[in-house]
């Protein structure tokens, strides 16, 4: 509920700091990038959404405030060839920060924190594939539906209207015993049921099925398609229901997202295009943006 105007005002009213403000989408981004930035030169401010990040930058620019930089998730921008033409605005290499983290060894670190090595090995041996590939496969299924919803405006909603709201029930289309995808029909039904009372323009089931089929025939970059929040939900089902984690810290999917951020170190971040692009930009501004 915090408006871009309010965020921009808060930035401009800060006294005693002459460095740059990094504007990001949310609190998880603050936690992640806060590990890496040079806090003597950079302060981080969440705007609560990618469009709000861009709006905050627009407001600051109009007011002549130049010491701002933004980072937003790629989402489907690369798949849909959407360009962001705002100077000092950067996007993640992959769909979002969670995907950026999950493709690194940080995932294995988190799995080892919450689950026994024997159960992890047993699961992977039975599946004949690594856990990373398994959750990416599940993320691909709902990723295609989210993309179809974006492209064809199907009226589906996939997240709560407020942060405290209930999330879509992933076990409606993912078996919590075998960890297998239960099919597109149950996925669509779960999405439609979740969207009721949140959207007044839900398309018919047959139209959604047709558009999903159409989008699903395209070969797409998996790391641009899957959504990190979905992957965290799948990991929670896997750890809690199948690998039977007894770790008391494993309360919900947000614990997994926080753990992934903790496990992701600077050496991994330095390998990203995002890091390289910001370093190039910061050299032109003559600032030390990241800690070494």
């Amino acid at each position: 509920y915090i408006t871009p105007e309010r965020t921009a005002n808060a930035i401009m009213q800060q006294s005693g700091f002459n460095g740059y403000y990094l504007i990001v989408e949310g609190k998880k981004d603050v936690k992640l990038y806060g590990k890496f930035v040079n806090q003597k030169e950079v302060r981080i401010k969440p705007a609560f959404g990618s469009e709000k990040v861009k709006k905050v930058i627009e407001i600051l620019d109009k007011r002549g405030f130049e010491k701002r930089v933004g980072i937003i998730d790629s989402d489907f921008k690369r798949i849909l060839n959407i360009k962001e033409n705002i100077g000092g605005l950067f996007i993640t290499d992959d769909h979002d920060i969670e995907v950026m983290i999950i493709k690194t060894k940080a995932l294995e670190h988190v799995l080892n924190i919450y689950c026994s090595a024997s159960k992890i090995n047993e699961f992977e041996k039975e599946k004949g594939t690594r856990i990373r590939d398994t959750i990416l496969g599940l993320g691909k299924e709902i990723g295609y539906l989210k993309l179809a919803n974006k492209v064809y405006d199907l009226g589906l909603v996939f997240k709560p209207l407020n942060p405290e709201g209930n999330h879509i029930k992933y076990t409606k289309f993912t078996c919590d015993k075998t960890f297998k995808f239960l099919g597109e029909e149950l996925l669509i039904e779960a999405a439609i049921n979740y969207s009721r009372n949140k959207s007044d323009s839900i398309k018919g089931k047959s139209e959604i099925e047709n558009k999903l089929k159409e989008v699903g025939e395209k070969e797409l970059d998996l790391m641009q398609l899957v959504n990190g929040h979905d992957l965290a939900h799948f990991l929670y089902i896997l750890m809690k229901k199948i690998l039977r984690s007894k770790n008391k810290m494993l309360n919900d999917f947000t614990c997994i997202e926080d753990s992934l951020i903790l496990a992701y170190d600077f050496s991994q971040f330095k390998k990203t295009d995002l890091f390289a692009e910001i370093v190039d930009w910061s050299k032109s501004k003559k600032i030390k943006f990241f800690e070494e």
Side-chain angles (χ1 to χ4, degrees):
Y1 303 107
I2 298 176
T3 65
E5 288 77 11
R6 182 174 165 186
T7 303
N9 289 341
I11 289 171
M12 296 193 71
Q13 288 168 5
Q14 290 287 331
S15 59
F17 177 70
N18 296 317
Y20 275 74
Y21 283 88
L22 169 58
I23 305 154
V24 297
E25 291 191 29
K27 293 179 179 179
K28 289 284 192 331
D29 305 82
V30 174
K31 291 178 182 178
L32 176 65
Y33 300 119
K35 294 170 59 174
F36 307 140
V37 300
N38 173 14
Q39 297 189 13
K40 291 180 181 178
E41 300 244 19
V42 181
R43 287 186 181 177
I44 308 178
K45 200 79 174 172
F48 305 101
S50 62
E51 292 303 314
K52 287 185 177 180
V53 171
K54 291 187 283 186
K55 185 65 177 177
V56 170
I57 289 175
E58 180 188 328
I59 293 168
L60 292 175
D61 286 352
K62 284 181 178 178
R63 296 178 183 177
F65 188 91
E66 297 178 352
K67 291 190 172 183
R68 90 299 177 276
V69 58
I71 302 176
I72 58 175
D73 288 338
S74 173
D75 296 323
F76 292 127
K77 292 180 181 66
R78 289 191 176 90
I79 288 177
L80 300 175
N81 199 29
I82 296 171
K83 306 292 184 184
E84 295 291 353
N85 297 314
I86 301 173
L89 177 67
F90 302 93
I91 66 172
T92 54
D93 291 27
D94 307 299
H95 188 280
D96 49 53
I97 62 171
E98 288 84 9
V99 176
M100 191 168 72
I101 296 171
I102 284 171
K103 74 178 192 181
T104 73
K105 62 183 180 180
L107 173 62
E108 282 74 19
H109 291 327
V110 171
L111 285 166
N112 289 328
I113 288 170
Y114 288 108
C115 306
S116 71
S118 61
K119 286 185 177 178
I120 293 170
N121 292 334
E122 183 183 335
F123 175 84
E124 291 188 333
K125 186 176 180 180
E126 181 183 326
K127 286 284 185 183
T129 186
R130 302 297 295 272
I131 284 174
R132 178 181 290 102
D133 295 324
T134 304
I135 62 168
L136 286 172
L138 292 170
K140 178 181 178 180
E141 302 292 348
I142 189 170
Y144 272 120
L145 182 58
K146 287 184 172 181
L147 179 59
N149 186 58
K150 172 83 172 177
V151 172
Y152 297 110
D153 195 19
L154 301 177
L156 298 174
V157 176
F158 292 93
K159 58 185 179 182
L161 299 179
N162 58 72
E164 297 78 29
N166 294 324
H167 292 263
I168 190 170
K169 295 187 183 300
Y170 288 77
T171 52
K172 292 290 186 181
F173 52 90
T174 310
C175 181
D176 60 4
K177 294 181 176 61
T178 64
F179 208 51
K180 289 183 178 179
F181 179 56
L182 298 176
E184 291 178 354
E185 185 173 348
L186 290 180
L187 169 61
I188 291 169
E189 284 182 9
I192 290 173
N193 290 335
Y194 182 75
S195 302
R196 291 198 174 103
N197 301 322
K198 298 181 183 70
S199 170
D200 55 6
S201 58
I202 305 170
K203 296 293 192 290
K205 186 177 178 182
S206 60
E207 182 176 352
I208 294 172
E209 288 173 346
N210 290 335
K211 296 304 183 185
L212 174 58
K213 183 180 179 181
E214 185 177 325
V215 169
E217 291 173 349
K218 299 178 181 179
E219 286 292 330
L220 301 172
D221 183 341
L222 192 58
M223 296 303 173
Q224 303 297 331
L225 177 66
V226 297
N227 182 299
H229 294 304
D230 295 333
L231 301 186
H233 277 281
F234 293 132
L235 277 170
Y236 178 73
I237 294 170
L238 174 65
M239 292 178 181
K240 197 76 172 179
K241 302 293 185 179
I242 298 169
L243 300 181
R244 301 287 181 181
S245 172
K246 302 297 183 185
N247 193 309
K248 292 181 180 178
M249 295 189 296
L250 189 59
N251 294 321
D252 55 26
F253 82 100
T254 61
C255 300
I256 294 171
E257 292 184 337
D258 287 340
S259 298
L260 286 166
I261 288 171
L262 285 170
Y264 187 67
D265 62 36
F266 194 43
S267 66
Q268 293 162 330
F269 180 61
K270 286 174 75 173
K271 297 175 184 177
T272 65
D273 293 336
L274 175 62
F275 172 82
E277 289 167 4
I278 294 177
V279 167
D280 285 345
W281 172 87
S282 64
K283 285 178 181 176
S284 70
K285 301 295 181 181
K286 296 183 170 58
I287 64 167
K288 181 186 174 186
F289 199 87
F290 295 111
E291 292 283 5
E292 291 299 329

